[in-house]
Amino acid sequence: MDDINTLRRILKENKVIAVVGLSADWYRPSYFAAKYMQEHGYRVIPVNPKYESILGEKCYRSLRDIPERVEIVDIFRKTADVMPIADDAIAIRAKVLWQQLGVRNEGAAAKARAAGLEAVLDRCVKIEHGRLFGGLNWVGVNTRVISAKRPRWLAY
């Protein structure tokens, strides 16, 4: 999933993100990305059996333990670990299977798509949100999004 309109729609329509592999260490990329998304109005649900809570939210051992509806399953795990997570995402009827930067399991993505989920590979939710909604272009970053109009969907 690489086109701008699809990524924008996914991030605009889906506000509940289960972050699989979220670390409680502030210096880890998963923590930084989850905190950013939380600060931009998303409900972040940590999934990591090592911790009881992260970012003020109860941490769950697996996706299947989450008692509420999850829209995006954001994966911060090795590519080899993605298939069982994709199975869990399908089982809980998530809408999107999102594999973070450096994570690219094509088989899991195909399985998710066959089950009706959208799949995003090798992209960071924080970077994509900043690129599409956060105004990165206002500080000189080339977001490759060209428009003469100021976007109306900015969170701030």
Side-chain angles (χ1 to χ4, degrees):
M1 200 73 53
D2 285 337
D3 70 280
I4 290 168
N5 291 331
T6 302
L7 292 171
R8 183 179 286 137
R9 180 186 48 74
I10 287 171
L11 291 173
K12 190 174 181 181
E13 292 176 357
N14 301 290
K15 299 296 184 181
V16 180
I17 305 173
V19 183
V20 180
L22 178 57
S23 173
D25 297 327
W26 66 268
Y27 52 85
R28 302 289 301 176
S30 62
Y31 185 93
F32 190 73
K35 184 170 175 55
Y36 171 91
M37 296 307 284
Q38 197 177 48
E39 290 173 352
H40 284 83
Y42 291 80
R43 165 101 166 90
V44 172
I45 302 171
V47 179
N48 191 328
K50 289 189 202 175
Y51 306 103
E52 290 196 25
S53 70
I54 302 173
L55 291 169
E57 297 288 342
K58 179 178 173 26
C59 199
Y60 294 92
R61 296 185 62 74
S62 77
L63 287 172
R64 294 178 192 244
D65 294 334
I66 299 171
E68 63 188 272
R69 174 89 169 151
V70 171
E71 295 170 324
I72 299 175
V73 173
D74 185 16
I75 304 171
F76 276 94
R77 298 291 310 270
K78 293 182 286 186
T79 299
D81 298 338
V82 172
M83 189 59 82
I85 297 166
D87 291 336
D88 287 350
I90 292 165
I92 66 167
R93 296 188 350 251
K95 295 180 181 179
V96 181
L97 183 72
W98 190 300
Q99 299 177 49
Q100 276 292 335
L101 283 175
V103 183
R104 190 170 190 87
N105 189 318
E106 297 283 353
K111 188 173 189 176
R113 285 185 189 112
L117 281 72
E118 294 187 89
V120 179
L121 289 80
D122 197 22
R123 291 193 174 268
C124 175
V125 291
K126 181 219 171 287
I127 291 170
E128 294 306 320
H129 185 276
R131 180 171 79 104
L132 301 171
F133 301 104
L136 279 177
N137 56 330
W138 297 347
V139 292
V141 175
N142 181 3
T143 61
R144 291 180 289 182
V145 177
I146 300 170
S147 175
K149 294 182 179 180
R150 176 179 240 153
R152 286 188 262 159
W153 54 81
L154 292 177
Y156 43 87

